[in-house]
Coordinates of all heavy atoms in Angstrom, one line a residue:
S9 N 0.8 -1.2 0.0 CA 0.0 0.0 0.0 C 0.9 1.2 0.0 O 2.1 1.2 0.3 CB -0.9 0.0 1.2 OG -0.2 0.3 2.4
R10 N 0.3 2.3 -0.3 CA 1.0 3.6 -0.3 C 1.5 4.0 1.1 O 2.7 4.4 1.2 CB 0.1 4.7 -0.8 CG 0.8 6.0 -0.9 CD -0.2 7.2 -1.4 NE -0.9 6.8 -2.5 CZ -1.8 7.6 -3.1 NH1 -2.0 8.8 -2.7 NH2 -2.5 7.2 -4.2
D11 N 0.8 3.8 2.1 CA 1.2 4.1 3.4 C 2.4 3.2 3.8 O 3.3 3.7 4.4 CB 0.0 3.9 4.5 CG -1.0 5.0 4.4 OD1 -0.6 6.1 3.9 OD2 -2.1 4.8 4.8
E12 N 2.3 1.9 3.6 CA 3.4 1.1 3.9 C 4.7 1.4 3.1 O 5.8 1.4 3.7 CB 3.1 -0.4 3.6 CG 4.1 -1.4 4.0 CD 3.7 -2.8 3.8 OE1 2.6 -3.1 3.2 OE2 4.5 -3.7 4.2
T13 N 4.6 1.8 1.9 CA 5.7 2.2 1.0 C 6.3 3.5 1.6 O 7.6 3.5 1.7 CB 5.2 2.5 -0.4 OG1 4.6 1.3 -0.9 CG2 6.4 2.9 -1.3
I14 N 5.6 4.4 2.1 CA 6.1 5.7 2.6 C 6.8 5.3 3.9 O 7.9 5.9 4.2 CB 5.0 6.7 2.8 CG1 4.5 7.2 1.4 CG2 5.5 7.9 3.7 CD1 3.4 8.1 1.5
S15 N 6.3 4.5 4.7 CA 6.9 4.0 6.0 C 8.2 3.4 5.7 O 9.2 3.7 6.4 CB 5.9 3.1 6.7 OG 6.5 2.7 7.9
I16 N 8.3 2.4 4.8 CA 9.5 1.7 4.5 C 10.5 2.7 3.9 O 11.7 2.7 4.3 CB 9.3 0.6 3.5 CG1 8.4 -0.5 4.3 CG2 10.6 0.0 3.0 CD1 7.9 -1.6 3.3
L17 N 10.1 3.5 3.0 CA 11.0 4.5 2.4 C 11.6 5.4 3.5 O 12.8 5.7 3.5 CB 10.3 5.3 1.4 CG 11.1 6.4 0.7 CD1 12.3 5.9 0.0 CD2 10.2 7.2 -0.3
S18 N 10.8 5.9 4.4 CA 11.3 6.7 5.5 C 12.3 6.1 6.3 O 13.4 6.6 6.6 CB 10.1 7.1 6.4 OG 9.1 7.8 5.7
H19 N 12.1 4.8 6.7 CA 13.1 4.0 7.4 C 14.4 3.9 6.7 O 15.5 4.1 7.2 CB 12.5 2.6 7.7 CG 13.4 1.7 8.5 ND1 13.3 1.6 9.8 CD2 14.4 0.9 8.1 CE1 14.3 0.8 10.3 NE2 14.9 0.3 9.2
E20 N 14.3 3.6 5.4 CA 15.5 3.4 4.6 C 16.2 4.8 4.3 O 17.5 4.8 4.2 CB 15.2 2.7 3.2 CG 14.6 1.3 3.4 CD 15.5 0.4 4.2 OE1 16.8 0.5 4.2 OE2 15.0 -0.4 5.0
L21 N 15.5 5.9 4.3 CA 16.2 7.2 4.2 C 17.0 7.5 5.4 O 18.1 8.1 5.3 CB 15.1 8.2 3.9 CG 14.5 8.3 2.5 CD1 13.4 9.3 2.4 CD2 15.6 8.6 1.5
V22 N 16.6 7.0 6.6 CA 17.4 7.2 7.8 C 18.7 6.4 7.6 O 19.8 6.9 7.9 CB 16.7 6.7 9.0 CG1 17.6 6.8 10.2 CG2 15.4 7.6 9.3
H23 N 18.6 5.2 7.0 CA 19.8 4.5 6.8 C 20.8 5.2 5.7 O 22.0 5.2 5.9 CB 19.5 3.1 6.2 CG 19.0 2.1 7.3 ND1 19.5 2.0 8.5 CD2 17.9 1.3 7.2 CE1 18.8 1.1 9.2 NE2 17.8 0.7 8.4
L24 N 20.2 5.8 4.7 CA 21.0 6.5 3.8 C 21.8 7.7 4.4 O 22.9 7.9 4.1 CB 20.1 7.0 2.6 CG 19.7 6.0 1.6 CD1 18.7 6.7 0.6 CD2 20.9 5.4 0.9
K25 N 21.1 8.3 5.4 CA 21.8 9.4 6.1 C 22.9 8.8 7.0 O 23.9 9.4 7.1 CB 20.8 10.1 7.0 CG 21.4 11.2 7.8 CD 20.6 12.4 7.9 CE 21.1 13.5 8.8 NZ 22.5 13.8 8.7
Q26 N 22.7 7.7 7.6 CA 23.7 7.0 8.4 C 24.9 6.7 7.5 O 26.1 6.9 7.9 CB 23.2 5.7 9.0 CG 22.1 5.9 10.0 CD 21.4 4.6 10.4 OE1 21.5 3.6 9.7 NE2 20.8 4.6 11.6
Y27 N 24.7 6.2 6.2 CA 25.8 6.0 5.3 C 26.5 7.3 4.9 O 27.7 7.4 4.9 CB 25.3 5.2 4.1 CG 24.9 3.8 4.3 CD1 23.6 3.4 4.2 CD2 25.9 2.8 4.5 CE1 23.3 2.0 4.3 CE2 25.6 1.5 4.7 CZ 24.3 1.1 4.6 OH 23.9 -0.2 4.8
A28 N 25.7 8.3 4.6 CA 26.3 9.6 4.1 C 27.1 10.2 5.2 O 28.1 10.8 4.9 CB 25.1 10.5 3.7
D29 N 26.7 10.0 6.5 CA 27.4 10.6 7.6 C 28.6 9.7 8.1 O 29.2 9.9 9.1 CB 26.5 10.8 8.8 CG 25.5 11.9 8.5 OD1 25.7 12.7 7.6 OD2 24.5 11.9 9.3
D30 N 28.8 8.6 7.3 CA 29.9 7.6 7.7 C 29.7 7.0 9.1 O 30.7 6.7 9.7 CB 31.3 8.2 7.5 CG 31.7 8.2 6.1 OD1 31.3 7.4 5.3 OD2 32.5 9.1 5.8
R31 N 28.4 6.9 9.5 CA 28.2 6.3 10.8 C 28.1 4.8 10.7 O 28.2 4.1 11.7 CB 26.9 6.9 11.4 CG 27.1 8.4 11.7 CD 26.0 9.0 12.5 NE 25.9 8.4 13.8 CZ 24.7 8.0 14.2 NH1 23.6 8.2 13.6 NH2 24.6 7.4 15.4
I32 N 27.7 4.3 9.6 CA 27.7 2.9 9.4 C 28.4 2.5 8.1 O 28.4 3.2 7.1 CB 26.2 2.4 9.3 CG1 26.1 0.9 9.3 CG2 25.5 3.0 8.1 CD1 24.7 0.3 9.4
K33 N 29.2 1.5 8.2 CA 30.0 0.9 7.1 C 29.8 -0.6 7.2 O 30.0 -1.2 8.2 CB 31.4 1.3 7.2 CG 31.7 2.8 7.1 CD 33.1 3.1 7.3 CE 33.2 4.7 7.4 NZ 34.6 5.1 7.7
I34 N 29.4 -1.2 6.0 CA 29.2 -2.6 6.0 C 30.0 -3.2 5.0 O 30.2 -2.8 3.8 CB 27.7 -2.9 5.6 CG1 26.8 -2.2 6.7 CG2 27.4 -4.4 5.5 CD1 25.3 -2.3 6.4
N35 N 30.7 -4.3 5.4 CA 31.5 -5.1 4.5 C 31.2 -6.6 4.8 O 31.7 -7.2 5.6 CB 33.0 -4.8 4.7 CG 33.9 -5.6 3.8 OD1 33.4 -6.3 2.8 ND2 35.2 -5.5 4.0
G36 N 30.3 -7.1 4.0 CA 29.8 -8.5 4.2 C 29.1 -8.5 5.6 O 28.1 -7.8 5.8
K37 N 29.6 -9.3 6.5 CA 28.9 -9.4 7.8 C 29.7 -8.6 8.8 O 29.4 -8.6 10.0 CB 28.9 -10.9 8.3 CG 27.8 -11.6 7.5 CD 27.6 -13.0 8.1 CE 26.5 -13.7 7.4 NZ 26.1 -15.0 8.0
N38 N 30.7 -7.9 8.4 CA 31.5 -7.0 9.3 C 30.9 -5.6 9.2 O 30.8 -5.0 8.2 CB 33.0 -6.9 8.9 CG 33.6 -8.2 9.1 OD1 33.4 -8.9 10.1 ND2 34.4 -8.7 8.1
I39 N 30.5 -5.1 10.4 CA 29.9 -3.8 10.5 C 30.7 -2.9 11.3 O 31.2 -3.2 12.4 CB 28.5 -4.0 11.2 CG1 27.6 -5.0 10.5 CG2 27.7 -2.6 11.3 CD1 27.2 -4.7 9.1
L40 N 30.8 -1.6 10.9 CA 31.4 -0.6 11.7 C 30.3 0.4 12.0 O 29.8 1.1 11.0 CB 32.6 0.1 11.0 CG 33.4 1.1 11.8 CD1 34.1 0.4 13.0 CD2 34.4 1.7 10.9
W41 N 30.0 0.6 13.2 CA 28.9 1.5 13.6 C 29.5 2.5 14.6 O 30.0 2.1 15.7 CB 27.7 0.8 14.2 CG 26.7 1.7 14.8 CD1 26.5 1.9 16.2 CD2 25.8 2.6 14.2 NE1 25.5 2.8 16.4 CE2 25.1 3.2 15.2 CE3 25.6 2.9 12.8 CZ2 24.1 4.2 14.8 CZ3 24.6 3.8 12.5 CH2 23.9 4.5 13.6
D42 N 29.5 3.8 14.3 CA 30.0 4.8 15.2 C 31.4 4.4 15.7 O 31.7 4.5 16.9 CB 29.1 5.1 16.4 CG 28.0 6.0 16.0 OD1 28.1 6.7 15.0 OD2 27.0 6.1 16.8
N43 N 32.2 3.9 14.8 CA 33.6 3.5 15.1 C 33.8 2.3 16.1 O 34.8 2.1 16.7 CB 34.5 4.7 15.6 CG 34.6 5.7 14.6 OD1 34.9 5.5 13.4 ND2 34.4 7.0 14.9
R44 N 32.7 1.6 16.2 CA 32.7 0.3 17.0 C 32.5 -0.8 16.0 O 31.4 -0.9 15.4 CB 31.7 0.3 18.1 CG 31.9 1.3 19.2 CD 30.8 1.2 20.2 NE 29.5 1.1 19.5 CZ 28.4 1.5 20.0 NH1 28.3 2.1 21.2 NH2 27.2 1.4 19.3
K45 N 33.3 -1.8 16.0 CA 33.2 -2.9 15.1 C 32.3 -4.0 15.7 O 32.7 -4.5 16.8 CB 34.5 -3.4 14.7 CG 34.5 -4.4 13.6 CD 35.8 -4.8 13.1 CE 35.7 -5.8 11.9 NZ 37.0 -6.2 11.4
L46 N 31.3 -4.4 15.0 CA 30.6 -5.6 15.4 C 31.0 -6.6 14.4 O 30.7 -6.6 13.2 CB 29.1 -5.4 15.2 CG 28.5 -4.2 16.1 CD1 27.0 -4.0 15.8 CD2 28.7 -4.5 17.5
V47 N 31.8 -7.6 14.9 CA 32.5 -8.5 14.0 C 31.6 -9.3 13.2 O 31.7 -9.5 12.0 CB 33.4 -9.4 14.9 CG1 34.1 -10.5 14.0 CG2 34.5 -8.6 15.6
N48 N 30.5 -9.9 13.7 CA 29.6 -10.8 13.0 C 28.2 -10.3 13.1 O 27.6 -10.2 14.2 CB 29.7 -12.2 13.6 CG 29.0 -13.2 12.7 OD1 28.1 -12.8 12.0 ND2 29.4 -14.4 12.8
L49 N 27.6 -10.0 12.0 CA 26.2 -9.4 12.0 C 25.2 -10.4 12.6 O 24.3 -10.0 13.3 CB 25.8 -9.1 10.5 CG 24.5 -8.5 10.3 CD1 24.5 -7.1 11.0 CD2 24.3 -8.3 8.8
D50 N 25.5 -11.7 12.5 CA 24.6 -12.7 13.1 C 24.6 -12.7 14.7 O 23.7 -13.3 15.3 CB 25.0 -14.1 12.6 CG 24.8 -14.2 11.1 OD1 23.9 -13.5 10.6 OD2 25.5 -15.1 10.5
D51 N 25.6 -12.0 15.3 CA 25.7 -12.0 16.7 C 24.7 -10.9 17.3 O 24.5 -11.0 18.6 CB 27.1 -11.6 17.2 CG 28.0 -12.8 16.9 OD1 27.6 -13.9 16.7 OD2 29.3 -12.5 16.9
V52 N 24.1 -10.1 16.5 CA 23.2 -9.1 17.0 C 21.8 -9.2 16.3 O 21.8 -9.1 15.1 CB 23.8 -7.6 16.8 CG1 22.9 -6.6 17.4 CG2 25.2 -7.5 17.3
T53 N 20.8 -9.4 17.1 CA 19.5 -9.6 16.5 C 19.1 -8.3 15.8 O 19.5 -7.2 16.2 CB 18.4 -10.0 17.5 OG1 18.3 -9.0 18.5 CG2 18.8 -11.4 18.1
Y54 N 18.2 -8.4 14.8 CA 17.8 -7.2 14.0 C 17.3 -6.1 14.9 O 17.7 -5.0 14.8 CB 16.6 -7.7 13.1 CG 16.1 -6.6 12.3 CD1 16.7 -6.1 11.1 CD2 14.9 -6.0 12.6 CE1 16.2 -5.1 10.4 CE2 14.3 -4.9 11.9 CZ 15.0 -4.5 10.7 OH 14.5 -3.5 10.0
N55 N 16.4 -6.4 15.9 CA 15.8 -5.3 16.7 C 16.8 -4.7 17.7 O 16.6 -3.7 18.3 CB 14.6 -5.9 17.5 CG 13.4 -6.1 16.6 OD1 13.3 -5.4 15.6 ND2 12.7 -7.1 16.9
N56 N 18.0 -5.3 17.9 CA 19.0 -4.8 18.8 C 20.1 -4.2 18.1 O 21.1 -3.7 18.7 CB 19.5 -5.9 19.7 CG 18.5 -6.3 20.7 OD1 17.8 -5.5 21.3 ND2 18.4 -7.6 21.0
R57 N 20.1 -4.1 16.8 CA 21.2 -3.4 16.0 C 21.0 -1.9 16.2 O 19.9 -1.4 15.9 CB 21.1 -3.8 14.6 CG 21.3 -5.3 14.4 CD 21.1 -5.7 12.9 NE 21.4 -7.2 12.9 CZ 21.0 -8.0 11.8 NH1 20.4 -7.4 10.8 NH2 21.2 -9.2 11.9
P58 N 22.0 -1.2 16.6 CA 21.9 0.2 17.0 C 21.4 1.1 15.8 O 20.7 2.0 16.0 CB 23.2 0.6 17.5 CG 24.2 -0.5 17.2 CD 23.4 -1.7 16.9
W59 N 21.9 0.7 14.6 CA 21.4 1.5 13.4 C 19.9 1.3 13.1 O 19.2 2.2 12.6 CB 22.3 1.2 12.2 CG 22.4 -0.3 11.9 CD1 21.6 -1.0 11.0 CD2 23.3 -1.2 12.4 NE1 21.9 -2.3 11.0 CE2 23.0 -2.5 11.8 CE3 24.4 -1.1 13.3 CZ2 23.7 -3.6 12.1 CZ3 25.1 -2.3 13.6 CH2 24.8 -3.5 13.0
E60 N 19.4 0.1 13.4 CA 18.0 -0.2 13.2 C 17.2 0.5 14.3 O 16.1 1.1 14.1 CB 17.7 -1.7 13.3 CG 18.2 -2.4 12.1 CD 17.7 -2.0 10.8 OE1 16.7 -1.3 10.7 OE2 18.3 -2.4 9.7
I61 N 17.7 0.5 15.5 CA 17.0 1.2 16.6 C 16.9 2.7 16.3 O 15.8 3.3 16.4 CB 17.8 1.0 18.0 CG1 17.7 -0.4 18.4 CG2 17.2 2.0 19.0 CD1 18.6 -0.8 19.5
E62 N 18.0 3.3 15.8 CA 17.9 4.7 15.4 C 17.0 4.9 14.2 O 16.2 5.9 14.2 CB 19.3 5.1 15.0 CG 19.4 6.6 14.6 CD 20.8 7.0 14.3 OE1 21.6 7.3 15.3 OE2 21.2 7.1 13.1
A63 N 17.0 4.0 13.2 CA 16.1 4.2 12.1 C 14.6 4.1 12.4 O 13.8 4.9 12.0 CB 16.4 3.2 11.0
F64 N 14.3 3.2 13.3 CA 12.9 3.1 13.8 C 12.5 4.3 14.6 O 11.4 4.8 14.5 CB 12.7 1.8 14.6 CG 12.5 0.6 13.7 CD1 13.4 -0.4 13.7 CD2 11.4 0.4 12.9 CE1 13.3 -1.5 12.9 CE2 11.2 -0.7 12.0 CZ 12.2 -1.7 12.1
S65 N 13.5 4.9 15.4 CA 13.1 6.0 16.2 C 12.9 7.3 15.4 O 12.2 8.2 15.8 CB 14.1 6.2 17.3 OG 15.3 6.7 16.8
Q66 N 13.6 7.4 14.2 CA 13.6 8.6 13.4 C 12.6 8.5 12.2 O 12.3 9.6 11.6 CB 15.0 9.0 13.0 CG 15.9 9.3 14.1 CD 17.3 9.7 13.6 OE1 17.6 9.7 12.4 NE2 18.2 9.9 14.5
Q67 N 12.2 7.3 11.9 CA 11.4 7.2 10.6 C 10.1 8.0 10.7 O 9.6 8.5 9.6 CB 11.2 5.7 10.3 CG 10.1 5.0 10.9 CD 10.0 3.6 10.5 OE1 11.0 2.8 10.5 NE2 8.8 3.2 10.1
S68 N 9.5 8.1 11.8 CA 8.2 8.8 11.8 C 8.3 10.3 11.5 O 7.5 10.9 10.9 CB 7.5 8.6 13.2 OG 8.2 9.2 14.2
N69 N 9.4 10.9 11.9 CA 9.7 12.3 11.6 C 9.9 12.4 10.1 O 9.4 13.4 9.5 CB 10.8 12.8 12.3 CG 10.6 13.0 13.8 OD1 9.4 13.2 14.2 ND2 11.6 12.9 14.6
V70 N 10.7 11.5 9.5 CA 10.9 11.5 8.1 C 9.6 11.3 7.3 O 9.4 11.9 6.3 CB 12.0 10.5 7.7 CG1 12.2 10.4 6.2 CG2 13.3 10.8 8.4
E71 N 8.8 10.4 7.8 CA 7.5 10.1 7.2 C 6.6 11.3 7.2 O 6.0 11.6 6.1 CB 6.9 8.9 7.9 CG 5.6 8.4 7.3 CD 5.0 7.2 7.9 OE1 5.8 6.5 8.6 OE2 3.9 6.9 7.6
K72 N 6.6 12.1 8.3 CA 5.8 13.3 8.3 C 6.3 14.3 7.2 O 5.5 14.9 6.6 CB 5.8 13.9 9.7 CG 5.1 13.2 10.7 CD 5.3 13.8 12.1 CE 4.7 12.9 13.2 NZ 5.0 13.4 14.5
D73 N 7.6 14.4 7.1 CA 8.2 15.3 6.2 C 7.8 14.9 4.7 O 7.5 15.7 3.9 CB 9.7 15.5 6.3 CG 10.1 16.2 7.6 OD1 9.2 16.9 8.2 OD2 11.3 16.1 8.0
L74 N 7.9 13.6 4.4 CA 7.6 13.1 3.1 C 6.1 13.3 2.8 O 5.8 13.7 1.7 CB 7.9 11.6 3.1 CG 9.3 11.1 2.7 CD1 9.4 9.6 2.8 CD2 9.7 11.6 1.4
R75 N 5.3 13.1 3.7 CA 3.9 13.3 3.5 C 3.6 14.8 3.2 O 2.8 15.1 2.4 CB 3.0 12.8 4.6 CG 3.0 11.3 4.8 CD 2.1 10.8 5.9 NE 2.2 9.4 6.0 CZ 1.6 8.5 5.2 NH1 0.8 9.0 4.2 NH2 1.7 7.2 5.4
Q76 N 4.3 15.7 3.9 CA 4.1 17.1 3.7 C 4.6 17.5 2.3 O 3.9 18.2 1.6 CB 4.9 17.9 4.7 CG 4.8 19.4 4.6 CD 3.4 19.9 4.7 OE1 2.7 19.4 5.6 NE2 3.1 20.9 3.9
I77 N 5.7 16.9 1.8 CA 6.3 17.2 0.5 C 5.3 16.6 -0.6 O 5.0 17.2 -1.6 CB 7.7 16.6 0.3 CG1 8.6 17.4 1.2 CG2 8.1 16.6 -1.1 CD1 10.0 16.6 1.4
L78 N 4.9 15.3 -0.4 CA 4.1 14.7 -1.4 C 2.6 15.1 -1.5 O 2.0 15.2 -2.5 CB 4.1 13.1 -1.2 CG 5.5 12.5 -1.4 CD1 5.4 11.0 -0.9 CD2 5.9 12.6 -2.8
Y79 N 2.1 15.4 -0.3 CA 0.6 15.6 -0.3 C 0.2 16.9 0.4 O -1.0 17.2 0.5 CB -0.1 14.4 0.5 CG 0.3 13.1 0.0 CD1 1.0 12.2 0.8 CD2 0.0 12.7 -1.3 CE1 1.4 10.9 0.3 CE2 0.4 11.5 -1.8 CZ 1.1 10.6 -1.0 OH 1.5 9.4 -1.5
G80 N 1.2 17.7 0.9 CA 0.8 18.9 1.6 C 0.2 18.7 2.9 O -0.5 19.6 3.4
K81 N 0.4 17.5 3.5 CA -0.2 17.2 4.8 C 0.7 16.4 5.6 O 1.6 15.8 5.1 CB -1.6 16.6 4.7 CG -1.5 15.2 4.0 CD -2.9 14.6 3.8 CE -2.8 13.3 3.1 NZ -4.1 12.7 2.9
K82 N 0.5 16.3 6.9 CA 1.3 15.5 7.8 C 0.5 14.3 8.2 O -0.6 14.1 8.2 CB 1.7 16.3 9.0 CG 2.7 17.4 8.6 CD 3.3 18.1 9.8 CE 4.2 19.1 9.4 NZ 4.9 19.8 10.4

């Protein structure tokens, strides 16, 4: 649905900002987050990955901005 698409896009845009700011670097299963290396991606569950926690916490603000841009409403 359109709403789900906007929600997912908002979440992924937060990740793009993380990449642009060099806060996250991924090389296979090796992750560098805020200069702390997580050696194996499989060692951290999805909901406990700090970049995911941040993306979920910020996506609603991005979503509001997107809705304003696209539809002139929040």
Side-chain angles (χ1 to χ4, degrees):
S9 73
R10 185 183 310 183
D11 287 336
E12 184 178 6
T13 300
I14 291 171
S15 179
I16 292 168
L17 178 60
S18 299
H19 181 92
E20 297 308 322
L21 285 171
V22 175
H23 288 312
L24 284 176
K25 178 145 178 37
Q26 293 168 341
Y27 286 112
D29 294 342
D30 283 330
R31 296 192 56 228
I32 188 170
K33 297 175 186 176
I34 300 175
N35 183 6
K37 289 190 177 187
N38 294 317
I39 308 292
L40 185 65
W41 171 253
D42 278 345
N43 296 316
R44 293 181 314 211
K45 188 174 184 181
L46 301 177
V47 176
N48 189 337
L49 187 58
D50 294 332
D51 290 341
V52 182
T53 62
Y54 178 81
N55 289 328
N56 289 320
R57 296 173 182 166
W59 54 91
E60 293 297 346
I61 292 168
E62 181 176 281
F64 280 113
S65 72
Q66 294 180 5
Q67 82 180 50
S68 63
N69 291 330
V70 175
E71 187 172 342
K72 288 176 190 174
D73 291 342
L74 274 176
R75 289 183 185 283
Q76 178 64 38
I77 291 166
L78 294 171
Y79 308 116
K81 62 182 178 182
K82 292 188 179 185

